[in-house]
């Protein structure tokens, strides 16, 4: 289907209708995967005060400048190019007035005005999120549009250096410039700088930077270009407002007479203004890409396999992909803007304006940990556990991320789980519980044939079963991405050869609906479960043996250390058993379904006796740790999996707990059969009240051991509290985003007091911020009824609890009992 679009540039700039209200310490610029991940460092400062950075915090050479010929003045816009511009009679160095940054889920806009003129400059960085086009999401490339407005002539300049191609500054690099000609497959002739290590090291990293692959920056063929020593080129532009269309082909080290690769564009705004008697507007589009082939190695069912990028199934060469990506800008803008706008509406309705910004800030970070691979008919998403230890396809990192995927495109969750299922079905993992990860360090998924991966068996089994049922529910209830499936009249078509290879996408690169592919409904859910039923049953058997009273082990919060009898961990395992009762029912195994359901019911009763304080004011951190408390974030899964629906689910729901939302309920809001609750209302209310009582300046601490917290779990927990408590937690987290002393892409582990900094370890840029989408995933679950099952939480204001007294009483009662013994 086709649709007329507004001009792409207008859409891009106006997509952010309201100014962003939060001021995070770092903002995404070009973020597509673990190795193409460029950020605006210290984003509360002016953009020219620091160099942009890779997600680790290491700087990258990335400079943008503007020059006004009339005044012979050059203005740094991004990066510290002023350090290279010594005093000269040929030019002046000044700084523009910075108008600040705004952002949505896919875009970061930086705006400037040139004092003494009416010139306005917008740098618009786009890393498009396209839920209804997996093909486009797989392209390892992003956009920068430089938009100029005014009536004074101005030139723009942009360069990058070799730090984009390697994390080791001692490495030698090589580069070349290529050009394309206008043709049926190339609407816009472009020129492209391509930079790579002289001797690539396949599938290796240096301080988390890839040491293989080629960086490409592209621009229209009519811009000027030049490569060479950084001082010379930047000063040349400052003096002339242009470049010399020259290539320095003396290949050398990254900082050996530092070679940079530049483009510049002159805008004759005065002529356009005189002709139209209006302020002129013009722009130039740049693209940034990282091509790698292979992207990872994976111990698949057929053995260790070098996995190609998904885009390579559609384009025989990198140059063809780069050209398509450049020409596809309008469609990418349209799809990304649609996602951002719908997310903004849904997040505002589900939380607040602050929540809208937190969700938007989190989206690119989630996908920045992914690599798309596989084939057109069987895509795979690989994921790096960024910053914490670099593990490959970590189950308990996918788990906190999965609300993002449930909201954005549930099929992407299936693509994430697939490599874990395939590897374990092939018999390469010896333990009877779910593996922790596919490999010690990304990009090498070589497995753990010795079974010695990180030991958190109850955690991983529970995670897989909860995510498995969530996906089953999405399949049988036809949970489609609630975003546009149309493309513009000018949308590019893929080659006939490419689209013949698959029935999953159409000729415009848009995903076909599940109905089109016949992959929805009970039958599709059953088929998906049946293939891996052996694993689901095996993992549940482990939970039956081990989850009610967990042995000394790690949970996902492994930084907190080993602990026996963890209350929250046990709850996850028990919900996992309950999930299996539903999974068994999907394939018609009624006996197992009933048995697992009975076990889960028995365990949840016993769990309440083990895990709750005697006065029933809170959950304990561990069964035998009296005077402790924990954030019971795993209760979120009970509501999400439809185990806590309203008493009467056969009637109209009436108004939402929250503001009107435009989200599409699963199953279109049709009637569902009544279900009794699994976890009692009293426990939800108890925890909601407790969170109200223990909330700190910057949020809800993880448990009573420390004042640090995990933001993903804060949102899991807040999603199943009263509206008042949810709002309180949101407000405190938003305050943290604005004030935190952390200086890396959004951390999920931080102190709730002091300066809101890193507690050590220093987590950053991790995909677990997908947990910030917990509110949105819950709003869509169970035919839109999941959140309605929690209405009772809003009937009474939060109880006032004396926390110190409650904890002391729990300890004293335990001492009394011990004395009687």
């Amino acid at each position: 289907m086709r649709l007329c679009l507004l001009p792409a540039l207008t859409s891009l700039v106006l997509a952010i209708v309201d100014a962003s209200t939060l001021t995070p310490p770092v903002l995404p610029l070009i973020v597509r995967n673990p190795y193409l991940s460029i950020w605006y460092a210290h984003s509360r400062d002016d953009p020219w005060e620091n160099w942009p950075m890779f997600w680790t915090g290491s700087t990258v050479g990335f400079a943008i400048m503007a020059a006004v010929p009339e005044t012979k003045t050059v203005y740094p816009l991004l990066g510290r190019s002023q350090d290279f511009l010594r005093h000269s009679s040929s030019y002046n160095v000044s700084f523009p007035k910075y108008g600040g940054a705004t952002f949505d889920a896919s875009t970061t806009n930086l705006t400037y005005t040139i004092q003494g003129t009416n010139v306005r400059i917008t740098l618009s960085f786009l890393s498009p999120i396209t839920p209804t086009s997996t093909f486009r999401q797989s392209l390892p490339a992003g956009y920068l549009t430089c938009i100029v407005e005014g009536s004074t002539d101005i030139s723009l300049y942009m360069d990058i250096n070799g730090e984009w191609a390697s994390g080791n500054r001692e490495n030698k690099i090589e580069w070349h410039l290529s050009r394309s000609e206008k043709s049926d497959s190339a609407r816009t002739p472009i020129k492209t700088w391509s930079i790579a290590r002289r001797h690539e090291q396949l599938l290796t990293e240096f301080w988390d930077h890839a040491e293989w692959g080629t960086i490409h920056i592209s621009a229209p063929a009519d811009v000027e270009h030049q490569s060479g020593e950084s001082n010379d080129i930047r000063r040349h532009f400052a003096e002339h407002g242009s470049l010399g269309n020259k290539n320095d082909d003396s290949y050398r080290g990254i900082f050996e007479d530092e070679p940079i690769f530049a483009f510049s564009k002159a805008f004759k705004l005065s002529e356009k203004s005189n002709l139209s008697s209006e302020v002129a507007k013009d722009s130039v589009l740049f693209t940034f890409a990282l091509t790698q082939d292979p992207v990872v190695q994976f111990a698949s069912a057929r053995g260790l396999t070098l996995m190609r990028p998904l885009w390579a199934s559609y384009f025989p060469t990198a140059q063809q992909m780069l050209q398509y990506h450049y020409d596809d800008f309008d469609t990418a803008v349209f799809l990304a803007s649609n996602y951002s706008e719908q997310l903004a509406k849904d997040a505002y309705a589900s939380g607040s304006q602050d929540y809208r910004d937190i969700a938007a800030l989190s989206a690119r970070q989630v996908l920045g940990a992914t690599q798309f691979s596989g084939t057109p008919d069987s895509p795979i998403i690989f994921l790096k556990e960024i910053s914490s230890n670099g593990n490959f396809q970590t189950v308990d990192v996918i788990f906190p991320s999965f609300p993002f995927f449930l909201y954005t495109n549930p099929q992407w969750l299936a693509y994430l789980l697939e490599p874990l299922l395939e590897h374990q079905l092939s018999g390469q993992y010896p333990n009877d519980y779910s593996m922790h990860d596919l490999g010690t360090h990304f990009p090498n998924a070589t497995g753990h044939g010795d079974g010695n991966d990180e030991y958190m068996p109850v955690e991983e089994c529970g995670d897989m079963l909860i995510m498995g049922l969530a996906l089953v529910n999405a399949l049988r209830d036809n949970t489609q991405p609630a975003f546009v499936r149309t493309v513009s009249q000018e949308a590019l078509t893929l080659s006939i050869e490419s689209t013949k290879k698959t029935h999953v996408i159409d000729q415009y690169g848009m995903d076909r609906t599940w109905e089109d592919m016949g992959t929805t409904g009970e039958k599709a859910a059953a088929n998906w479960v049946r293939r891996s039923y052996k694993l689901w049953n095996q993992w549940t058997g482990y939970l039956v043996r081990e989850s009610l009273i967990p042995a000394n082990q790690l949970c996902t919060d492994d930084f907190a250390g080993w602990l026996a009898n963890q209350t929250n961990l046990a709850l996850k395992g028990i919900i996992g058993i309950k999930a299996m009762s539903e999974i068994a029912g999907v394939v018609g195994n009624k006996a197992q379904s009933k048995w697992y359901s009975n076990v889960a019911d028995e365990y949840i009763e016993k769990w309440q006796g083990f895990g709750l304080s005697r006065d029933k004011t809170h959950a304990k951190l561990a069964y035998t740790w009296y005077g402790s408390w924990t954030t019971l974030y795993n209760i979120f899964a009970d509501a999400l999996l439809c185990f806590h629906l309203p008493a009467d689910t056969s009637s109209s729901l009436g108004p939402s707990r929250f503001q009107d939302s435009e989200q599409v309920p699963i199953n279109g809001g049709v009637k569902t059969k009544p279900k009794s609750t699994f976890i009692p209302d009293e426990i939800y209310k108890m925890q909601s009240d407790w969170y109200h009582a223990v909330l700190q300046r910057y949020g809800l601490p993880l448990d009573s051991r420390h004042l640090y917290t995990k933001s993903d779990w804060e949102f899991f927990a807040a999603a199943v509290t009263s509206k008042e408590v949810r709002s309180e937690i949101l407000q405190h987290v938003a305050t943290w985003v604005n004030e935190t002393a952390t200086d890396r892409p959004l951390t999920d582990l931080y102190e709730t007091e002091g300066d809101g900094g890193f507690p050590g370890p220093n987590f950053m840029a991790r995909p677990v911020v997908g947990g910030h989408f917990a509110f949105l995933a819950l709003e869509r679950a169970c035919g839109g009824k999941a959140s309605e099952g929690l209405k009772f939480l809003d009937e009474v204001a939060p109880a006032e609890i004396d926390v110190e007294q409650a904890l002391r009483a729990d300890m004293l009662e335990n001492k009394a009992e011990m004395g009687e013994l």
Side-chain angles (χ1 to χ4, degrees):
M1 184 176 179
R2 291 184 162 199
L3 169 70
C4 284
L5 293 180
L6 292 172
L9 291 178
T10 302
S11 175
L12 180 64
V13 178
L14 298 182
I16 305 171
V17 177
D18 300 314
S20 309
T21 58
L22 299 184
T23 55
V26 176
L27 283 170
L29 297 177
I30 303 294
V31 178
R32 295 299 283 174
N33 59 48
Y35 305 123
L36 184 59
S37 186
I38 307 301
W39 300 75
Y40 172 8
H42 304 285
S43 58
R44 297 175 190 139
D45 298 338
D46 292 331
W48 55 84
E49 293 184 18
N50 302 280
W51 288 106
M53 69 182 188
F54 187 64
W55 65 258
T56 59
S58 61
T59 60
V60 292
F62 186 13
I64 301 177
M65 295 184 283
V68 177
E70 184 179 331
T71 60
K72 295 183 179 180
T73 304
V74 63
Y75 299 86
L77 302 178
L78 180 70
R80 294 189 59 87
S81 54
Q82 64 269 22
D83 294 345
F84 297 77
L85 304 178
R86 64 190 177 195
H87 181 72
S88 172
S89 60
S90 301
Y91 58 83
N92 304 304
V93 178
S94 186
F95 296 100
K97 181 178 180 182
Y98 179 49
T102 57
F103 58 88
D104 66 9
S106 292
T107 309
T108 298
N109 285 349
L110 313 180
T111 58
Y112 313 79
T113 53
I114 303 299
Q115 294 176 328
T117 75
N118 63 350
V119 172
R120 175 184 172 89
I121 301 171
T122 301
L123 305 181
S124 191
F125 296 87
L126 175 67
S127 298
I129 298 177
T130 57
T132 51
S133 180
T134 302
F135 153 73
R136 286 182 174 84
Q137 194 63 53
S138 76
L139 302 181
Y143 301 93
L144 165 60
T145 307
C146 302
I147 305 164
V148 294
E149 304 170 77
S151 55
T152 300
D153 292 346
I154 193 167
S155 297
L156 290 183
Y157 165 98
M158 184 270 292
D159 73 48
I160 70 168
N161 74 353
E163 289 173 297
W164 290 60
S166 171
N168 186 349
R169 297 179 176 184
E170 302 300 317
N171 278 327
K172 308 288 186 181
I173 57 173
E174 297 184 354
W175 58 88
H176 69 271
L177 182 75
S178 59
R179 297 175 175 83
S180 68
E181 301 295 331
K182 188 175 180 65
S183 66
D184 291 342
S185 59
R187 292 184 177 180
T188 306
I190 60 174
K191 55 175 64 171
T192 301
W193 287 115
S194 298
I195 307 105
R197 278 188 51 164
R198 176 175 294 174
H199 303 294
E200 297 182 40
Q201 293 180 321
L202 195 64
L203 301 172
T204 63
E205 295 182 343
F206 188 93
W207 293 111
D208 288 293
H209 292 254
E211 295 303 308
W212 84 106
T214 302
I215 286 288
H216 312 268
I217 58 169
S218 300
D222 63 352
V223 306
E224 295 167 329
H225 68 270
Q226 192 166 344
S227 65
E229 198 272 331
S230 55
N231 286 283
D232 293 344
I233 293 182
R234 288 168 182 156
R235 290 170 188 167
H236 184 281
F237 175 77
E239 291 176 5
H240 305 284
S242 62
L243 294 174
N245 290 325
K246 299 176 182 177
N247 180 27
D248 175 355
D249 57 4
S250 177
Y251 305 140
R252 53 192 183 271
I254 292 173
F255 278 98
E256 183 182 345
D257 293 329
E258 183 189 5
I260 61 173
F261 315 96
F263 291 123
S264 71
K265 169 80 171 177
F267 299 94
K268 304 297 184 181
L269 300 182
S270 60
E271 294 180 8
K272 290 186 177 182
S273 296
N274 291 335
L275 290 173
S276 65
S277 70
E278 296 179 359
V279 171
K281 182 176 181 178
D282 207 342
S283 66
V284 62
L285 175 66
F286 302 108
T287 62
F288 304 79
L290 170 62
T291 57
Q292 298 170 298
D293 191 359
V295 286
V296 303
Q297 60 176 335
F298 166 46
S300 66
R302 63 180 180 271
L304 196 58
T305 305
L306 295 177
M307 301 295 294
R308 303 196 70 198
L310 183 58
W311 63 260
S313 297
Y314 298 99
F315 304 103
T317 68
Q319 194 59 44
Q320 286 176 281
M321 185 273 288
L322 297 173
Q323 183 69 58
Y324 182 97
H325 175 258
Y326 194 95
D327 289 337
D328 192 54
F329 176 66
D330 286 5
T331 301
V333 166
F334 175 63
L335 295 175
S337 295
N338 173 260
Y339 176 74
S340 294
E341 291 164 6
Q342 189 62 51
L343 172 61
K345 293 175 185 177
D346 292 342
Y348 184 83
S350 191
S352 65
Q353 189 163 316
D354 287 337
Y355 183 51
R356 179 201 71 177
D357 283 357
I358 290 170
L361 185 63
S362 305
R364 277 171 284 178
Q365 184 166 317
V366 178
L367 290 169
T370 63
Q371 285 276 23
F372 284 70
S373 185
T375 64
D377 280 342
S378 299
I380 291 175
I381 299 177
F382 294 118
L383 181 138
K384 178 176 179 176
E385 183 180 340
I386 282 184
S387 85
S388 35
N389 64 8
N391 283 173
F392 193 126
Q393 217 74 7
T394 310
V395 172
D396 62 288
V397 169
I398 296 174
F399 180 76
S401 308
F402 93 107
F404 167 82
F405 294 99
L406 283 181
Y407 171 78
T408 302
N409 185 345
Q411 191 65 55
W412 289 356
L413 177 60
Y415 300 158
L416 271 169
L417 297 182
E418 176 56 32
L420 288 159
L421 297 174
E422 177 180 338
H423 178 83
Q424 291 173 89
L425 282 170
S426 70
Q428 297 179 68
Y429 184 67
N431 297 320
D432 63 347
Y433 48 81
S434 169
M435 67 192 315
H436 171 268
D437 59 78
L438 276 173
T440 301
H441 203 91
F442 197 91
N444 297 296
T446 50
H448 297 278
D450 58 2
N452 288 330
D453 50 335
E454 190 170 7
Y455 185 71
M456 48 179 76
V458 171
E459 175 73 43
E460 313 306 3
C461 289
D463 289 347
M464 289 298 292
L465 286 157
I466 290 166
M467 291 189 290
L469 180 56
L471 182 57
V472 163
N473 287 344
L475 288 169
R476 62 182 177 180
D477 294 335
N478 191 25
T479 313
Q480 299 284 343
F483 311 104
V484 69
R485 292 188 173 275
T486 56
V487 294
S488 73
Q489 292 178 342
E490 297 80 21
L492 298 177
T493 58
L494 290 167
S495 69
I496 295 175
E497 291 76 15
S498 296
T499 52
K500 276 183 178 179
K501 296 177 183 177
T502 178
H503 68 284
V504 174
I505 68 171
D506 66 19
Q507 62 181 322
Y508 300 107
M510 301 295 292
D511 293 348
R512 297 189 187 278
T513 65
W514 291 359
E515 294 95 334
D516 291 342
M517 297 185 293
T519 56
T520 189
E522 292 283 351
K523 184 176 179 180
N527 288 340
W528 186 80
V529 167
R530 194 172 285 114
R531 171 176 163 266
S532 49
Y533 190 81
K534 170 189 172 184
L535 292 177
W536 306 114
N537 194 41
Q538 174 182 307
W539 296 334
T540 310
Y542 183 88
L543 291 178
V544 171
R545 298 194 309 272
E546 302 291 343
S547 68
L548 178 59
I549 305 178
N552 190 33
Q553 62 190 278
L554 295 170
C555 73
T556 182
D557 306 313
D558 52 359
F559 50 85
W562 291 60
L563 184 64
N565 310 148
Q566 296 178 60
T567 301
N568 190 45
L569 179 62
L571 181 61
K572 176 174 284 183
I574 295 167
I575 294 174
I577 297 170
K578 180 68 173 177
M580 183 61 196
S581 72
E582 293 285 315
I583 291 171
V586 167
V587 295
N589 195 330
K590 295 181 181 179
Q592 271 196 331
S593 176
K594 183 176 180 180
W595 188 76
Y596 283 133
S597 181
N598 290 339
V599 170
D601 289 342
E602 177 187 346
Y603 281 11
I604 201 65
E605 287 293 328
K606 292 181 177 179
W607 173 87
Q608 293 174 62
F610 295 152
L612 305 185
S613 65
R614 287 175 172 80
D615 63 1
K616 298 297 187 289
T617 58
H618 63 279
K620 294 177 291 186
L621 175 59
Y623 294 165
T624 55
W625 194 332
Y626 298 93
S628 68
W629 63 268
T630 186
T631 297
L632 201 67
Y633 56 79
N634 284 324
I635 199 174
F636 170 74
D638 176 67
L640 182 76
L641 298 180
C642 315
F643 299 153
H644 202 95
L645 295 178
D648 179 14
T649 58
S650 61
S651 61
S652 174
L653 292 176
S656 168
R657 287 182 70 214
F658 307 101
Q659 301 176 42
D660 292 338
S661 172
E662 296 187 17
Q663 295 188 71
V664 179
I666 294 173
N667 211 21
V670 299
K671 298 177 181 179
T672 57
K673 64 180 181 180
K675 296 183 181 179
S676 59
T677 60
F678 179 52
I679 297 177
D681 289 359
E682 292 76 16
I683 296 178
Y684 282 85
K685 181 67 167 65
M686 173 190 77
Q687 288 301 112
S688 181
D689 291 347
W690 187 259
Y691 301 154
H692 170 74
V694 298
L695 198 60
Q696 302 297 307
R697 174 174 174 78
Y698 291 135
L700 176 66
L702 184 61
D703 57 52
S704 53
R705 289 173 290 187
H706 304 279
L707 284 175
Y708 60 53
T709 189
K710 289 282 272 81
S711 65
D712 45 357
W713 304 142
E714 285 183 279
F715 282 84
F716 271 54
V720 290
T721 61
S722 69
K723 288 190 291 186
E724 181 177 341
V725 173
R726 174 190 281 203
S727 296
E728 287 178 337
I729 295 173
L730 262 179
Q731 183 179 354
H732 287 245
V733 175
T735 300
W736 170 78
V737 173
N738 284 336
E739 298 179 2
T740 175
T742 59
D743 58 355
R744 296 292 187 271
L746 205 60
T747 183
D748 55 287
L749 177 63
Y750 67 88
E751 296 284 2
T752 60
E753 288 291 336
D755 62 4
F758 294 115
N762 293 6
F763 291 170
M764 63 198 76
R766 301 202 321 150
V768 301
V769 296
H772 299 167
F773 283 68
F775 302 177
L776 298 163
L778 192 67
E779 287 280 298
R780 296 195 70 200
C782 318
K785 296 181 173 63
S787 63
E788 301 311 309
L790 305 177
K791 273 187 173 181
F792 68 92
L793 291 168
D794 302 322
E795 293 173 357
V796 181
E800 295 300 325
I801 300 172
D802 186 325
V803 173
E804 185 176 349
Q805 180 179 337
L807 296 177
R808 186 184 301 113
D810 199 37
M811 289 188 289
L812 290 175
E813 287 186 35
N814 178 57
K815 287 182 180 179
E817 287 188 7
M818 294 296 291
E820 292 175 5
L821 293 175

